[in-house]
Structure formats: C-alpha cells, structure tokens
Amino acid sequence: MPFKYNACRRHRIGKMKFKVTNWRAYETGLRRRGSLTLWVTPEALSSWRAPKRTTRGGQPRYSDLAIETALTLGLVFDLRLRQTEGFVTSVLKLIGLDLVVPDHTTLSRRANKPRAPNNRHSDRFPQKGPVHVLIDSTGLQIYGAGQWLEEKHGVKSRRGWRKLHLVLDADSGDIIAHVMTEQGAGDASQVEPLLDQIDMPIGQFTADGATDGDPTYDTITNHSPDAAVIIPPRANAVERKDADLPSQRAHHIAAINADGRMKWQAATSYGKRSLVETAIGRYKSIIGRRLRARAFAAQQTEVALGCAVLNRMLACARPKSVRCKIVAV
C-alpha cells in the first residue's frame, strides 16, 4: 500500500502543522454549538400544526416541521423519544409558547414516514462554476436480536449494520447527498442515486477504489460530461487496446504505471478525499456509531436529520486553517 512505503522511517518524517487563522470566530462558534438558546420564527409557529387535509382520511395534528424539530432536538442531545417529548415541552414552556408537543408514540410512527432526499442545502453551492464532490461510505451498527443474545447470554453472533454513503462538497465541507442501504450494497451501485440528489454540475468526482469501473465513469459522464473523475484503478488494472479514444481511467492507469501511485495521487489531488473521511468521523463522534431506530424507514429519517445537524454545526463554526511553513536552517 502507498502509505506503507516510508513505514520504516516514518518516525523521522515531521508531521504537518496547521494554524487556525480565525480562531476567535471559530471558538465563538464552538460555544454556540452547545447553547440552549432556541428561537422559533413566526413562519415556524404558523406551520407547527398540520395543514387542513383535502383528501379522505383523518386530520393530522402536527406538521412534518414539528416532527422534524422534535426528532432533531432528541438527536442532538442524545435523548430517547419519551425524554425528547419532555425536553421539547419544557423548552417551549420556558420560551413562553403554547404549543402542543407530539407524544413519543406519534414521533415513533411519523419517523417511519418515507421522505424524499433533502435538497435544502443547495443554496450553499457556489454560484459560479461546478462543484468538487467527495464520496465515501461507512457502517452504522443496529441493535437487533443478535446484540440482545450477546448481552443476555454472552453468545457471540454476527452483528447487523447499515451502510451510509455520503457525498461531501470539498470546498464548503457540507454533506450534499446521502443514501443509507443494507450492509450488502456495493459502493459503485449507489453512485447514481447519490448524483440524482445533486442539481449542480460536477467539476471533479473523487472516490476510493471501491467505485472503480466503467459503469461508474458512465454514470458520472451522464450527469456531468465535463467532470474529471479521480478514482484509483485496481492494482491489476490494464489499459484497453481496442478503445478508439483513451478514457480517463486509461489515463490513470498509464500515469500510475509510468510514475507510480504516489505521484499520481499528488498530481490529481487525491489526498482531498480525506475530507470525507473526516466528515464520517465527525458523524460518528457527534451523532453516534449506532442507529437508535429499529425500522429501516425510521433509520433513514435518523440519518437524514443527522446529516442536517452536522451541516448546521459546521455553519456555526468553520475553521480556516493554513499550513505552517518550515524554515530550513
């Protein structure tokens, strides 16, 4: 592997150091993340109750905004549904708002409602020019019968988990698309559902070798014909001699065979893919490594709210760091 080339003398390689240039604003934003000061806009107050239903069926009491607000607060403060109900009730009472709070059974039932992919963060895209997207996936644990047997009787069982696929904007650091699948879904099969959530043209698409293959290149080309695809080919990949025009994948294979994989990574800025790995670590450290919901639809809602929470936290405190230059003596 490329990161093992200098393993024998890595202790002599100095670690890169960075300096935060907006430390005062960044520190203030970090304190704002833990603030309990909440406010409700007049638009949210008017939309708290569900609109009048025009079709047949019962009239819901709470709108989707009220359900999402309660579930989001419970996710941020690591509360279960009953504690979420009490927390929202007390907060609204402190603010002085006479609003009816959804009970825990309503929150559990409405969380299973299927929702369309969230495109509310499309306003954070740059106004001019395409975006540079980074894609990666990770596993999230789920609590099932196997975990109960392990805790109760000490029986070892195969753990169940879900797979979360994320797309990150390399410039802003926001999560702009996400898909949660079963544990057997491949990374390459989820490229098209992820790109369907992105309306802006893509300038560069960077992913790891799990998405390598002609179908991935074709999917990206159909979305953005001028996109530069940076995916490391497999170690045994060979160039196709029967192609009329060499593809981007063929250029990557030729460059790696000529100069090596390390130079190819430096020339293509493949190292930026570490940003999406940092976002995954941020998700697991703040939101959690395990899904709380039991049903798959409720788990999808939980993941969508978690991504929205991370984007809001990043908007509150976004560091601007520069690499410290080493002066040779």
Side-chain angles (χ1 to χ4, degrees):
M1 298 298 291
F3 63 86
K4 296 182 180 179
Y5 285 165
N6 298 319
C8 60
R9 57 182 183 276
R10 184 170 293 276
H11 62 282
R12 301 180 182 177
I13 302 176
K15 186 177 180 180
M16 290 188 299
K17 296 183 179 180
F18 294 86
K19 179 181 179 181
V20 179
T21 58
N22 62 335
W23 176 249
R24 185 184 298 273
Y26 181 53
E27 187 180 21
T28 303
L30 291 177
R31 288 195 295 265
R32 287 176 55 193
R33 289 184 181 181
S35 175
L36 280 175
T37 304
L38 304 177
W39 65 94
V40 183
T41 61
E43 293 80 10
L45 289 175
S46 61
S47 303
W48 188 264
R49 291 186 175 274
K52 188 175 181 179
R53 189 168 184 172
T54 58
T55 59
R56 297 180 63 182
Q59 173 64 33
R61 297 183 60 184
Y62 311 102
S63 64
D64 291 340
L65 175 64
I67 301 298
E68 290 185 7
T69 301
L71 291 177
T72 301
L73 290 176
L75 188 66
V76 170
F77 295 101
D78 194 16
L79 303 174
R80 297 303 181 260
L81 294 181
R82 287 179 174 83
Q83 287 76 25
T84 300
E85 178 185 354
F87 178 77
V88 177
T89 302
S90 61
V91 168
L92 293 180
K93 186 180 295 185
L94 291 175
I95 298 177
L97 297 176
D98 187 15
L99 295 176
V100 182
V101 179
D103 57 273
H104 59 277
T105 56
T106 303
L107 294 175
S108 177
R109 184 179 67 256
R110 294 283 295 273
N112 290 276
K113 180 181 178 181
R115 288 171 171 80
N118 188 5
N119 292 328
R120 290 182 298 176
H121 302 287
S122 59
D123 56 340
R124 298 185 184 179
F125 287 112
Q127 298 296 329
K128 296 182 181 179
V131 295
H132 180 190
V133 298
L134 311 170
I135 182 174
D136 203 356
S137 62
T138 186
L140 298 176
Q141 297 179 6
I142 58 176
Y143 190 89
Q147 284 72 24
W148 183 85
L149 290 174
E150 184 175 350
E151 292 183 2
K152 184 70 175 179
H153 303 289
V155 179
K156 292 186 177 180
S157 60
R158 181 175 297 178
R159 294 184 178 181
W161 49 282
R162 299 282 186 254
K163 204 169 185 178
L164 175 60
H165 308 261
L166 296 179
V167 176
L168 196 77
D169 183 7
D171 297 328
S172 64
D174 291 334
I175 299 174
I176 58 179
H178 67 275
V179 171
M180 193 185 69
T181 61
E182 299 286 349
Q183 59 186 20
D187 292 356
S189 63
Q190 301 305 315
V191 173
E192 185 173 1
L194 289 171
L195 295 185
D196 290 341
Q197 304 178 32
I198 304 175
D199 299 331
M200 297 291 293
I202 297 176
Q204 182 170 333
F205 179 95
T206 305
D208 57 4
T211 58
D212 181 39
D214 291 335
T216 302
Y217 283 83
D218 296 338
T219 301
I220 301 170
T221 304
N222 293 334
H223 184 278
S224 300
D226 299 330
V229 183
I230 309 299
I231 300 176
R234 296 178 178 88
N236 58 352
V238 295
E239 300 181 53
R240 294 180 57 181
K241 303 298 182 181
D242 55 346
D244 298 334
L245 295 176
S247 60
Q248 295 191 53
R249 187 170 184 269
H251 285 298
H252 295 328
I253 297 174
I256 292 175
N257 292 335
D259 302 326
R261 191 171 291 266
M262 296 294 289
K263 282 192 175 181
W264 174 84
Q265 291 183 2
T268 57
S269 299
Y270 179 74
K272 280 192 174 182
R273 201 187 63 83
S274 61
L275 296 176
V276 67
E277 296 178 351
T278 303
I280 290 175
R282 189 186 305 121
Y283 183 98
K284 291 189 175 183
S285 61
I286 297 177
I287 305 301
R289 298 175 176 270
R290 173 180 289 183
L291 294 169
R292 305 165 186 168
R294 301 296 179 90
F296 185 74
Q299 291 170 357
Q300 290 180 320
T301 302
E302 180 180 342
V303 166
L305 294 178
C307 294
V309 166
L310 290 182
N311 288 341
R312 288 181 179 271
M313 286 187 174
L314 192 61
C316 291
R318 192 188 306 273
K320 296 180 181 179
S321 56
V322 294
R323 183 179 176 181
C324 299
K325 296 182 179 179
I326 302 176
V327 180
V329 180

